[in-house]
Amino acid sequence: MPTITAFANSPDRGRGLARDMRVRWALEELGVPYDVRLQSFPELKRPAHLARNPFGQIPTYEDGDLTLFESGAIVLHLAERHPGLLPGEPNARSRAIMWMFAALDTIEPPVFDRSLVGGLEKDRPWFDERLATLDQRIAVRLGQLSAHLGDTVWLDGAFSAGDLLMVTVLLRLKDTELLATWPNVAAYLARGEARPAFRRAFAAQRAVFTDANAD
């Protein structure tokens, strides 16, 4: 049974934003049972965890003699070894992997930067200008994503690992007004959240935060 690492007390306050959510969701979609090793922030910087991830981050994935870090790499590994997250047809498979990279390399950078600015730079004199710049960058990408989606259900035919990663990126915008301009993108996010495997993964991650903060 593979083991993943996750925050013992996530800074996302149980909202499904920590990146172990992606791996949990993939495992739930594939029906692969797994264990979780919870790590405190000090433990992430100790030799035992640094041997798994030299950057001291989560998630990591261990299965036998294989250890991986980076959530996208872990999801791709799982999708390539279990049926359900990548199409069988070669061209469709390549497009699904393309969308995995698009989610992490094109859409996520300004979205993640926005969440950092909102949490760490609110008192800085440049906050409003920086936030406006990021919102503009995000708006451009959301408009392009909306144009691609049109009235389709998923990014390229059936649900794939590309959709899984894209939904987890868009989840960071759920509590903002940015999705209101593009109803089809908001509906796309809602469809991802409605998947039973997503709900199971979300509940499992949220339970960690709830337990950690119980009186």
Side-chain angles (χ1 to χ4, degrees), residues 4-205:
I4 67 171
T5 53
F7 289 125
N9 196 342
S10 176
D12 76 350
R13 302 183 65 81
R15 293 184 293 152
L17 305 182
R19 290 187 172 106
D20 64 289
M21 176 65 190
R22 298 166 175 173
V23 181
R24 291 176 184 268
W25 185 7
L27 289 162
E28 293 288 351
E29 288 281 354
L30 298 170
V32 176
Y34 61 98
D35 285 329
V36 180
R37 180 186 296 107
L38 299 179
Q39 301 280 275
S40 67
F41 285 102
E43 287 172 331
L44 293 177
K45 308 307 179 185
R46 292 174 184 163
H49 186 73
L50 292 174
R52 293 184 285 267
N53 183 331
F55 304 108
Q57 298 174 320
I58 62 97
T60 60
Y61 172 91
E62 299 166 80
D63 188 8
D65 60 358
L66 175 66
T67 299
L68 298 173
F69 61 90
E70 292 296 334
S71 59
I74 297 168
V75 171
L76 179 58
H77 167 81
L78 292 169
E80 287 182 328
R81 283 154 180 78
H82 302 276
L85 285 177
L86 288 177
E89 196 276 318
N91 287 347
R93 188 182 187 90
S94 294
R95 289 194 301 271
I97 295 171
M98 172 190 71
W99 279 110
M100 294 178 69
F101 280 88
L104 301 184
D105 292 346
T106 301
I107 305 295
E108 184 172 46
V111 172
F112 186 70
D113 284 351
R114 189 186 195 278
S115 66
L116 288 181
V117 167
L120 301 177
E121 301 182 19
K122 280 188 175 181
D123 298 328
R124 303 291 186 172
W126 60 77
F127 173 74
D128 289 339
E129 183 178 356
R130 174 80 167 129
L131 190 65
T133 298
L134 287 170
D135 283 354
Q136 184 178 20
R137 289 175 57 197
I138 292 168
V140 169
R141 293 307 187 201
L142 290 179
Q144 294 164 334
L145 180 62
S146 174
H148 170 78
L149 278 170
D151 58 359
T152 60
V153 176
W154 304 114
L155 291 169
D156 190 80
F159 178 84
S160 76
D163 295 291
L164 186 151
L165 292 181
M166 187 68 77
V167 167
T168 62
V169 169
L170 295 175
L171 195 62
R172 287 187 177 274
L173 300 175
K174 186 176 178 180
D175 295 332
T176 74
E177 299 298 322
L178 291 167
L179 291 176
T181 306
W182 296 279
N184 65 333
V185 177
Y188 169 76
L189 171 59
R191 284 193 293 275
E193 291 181 279
R195 292 181 70 85
F198 177 96
R199 295 201 299 268
R200 291 193 298 270
F202 184 90
Q205 192 190 61

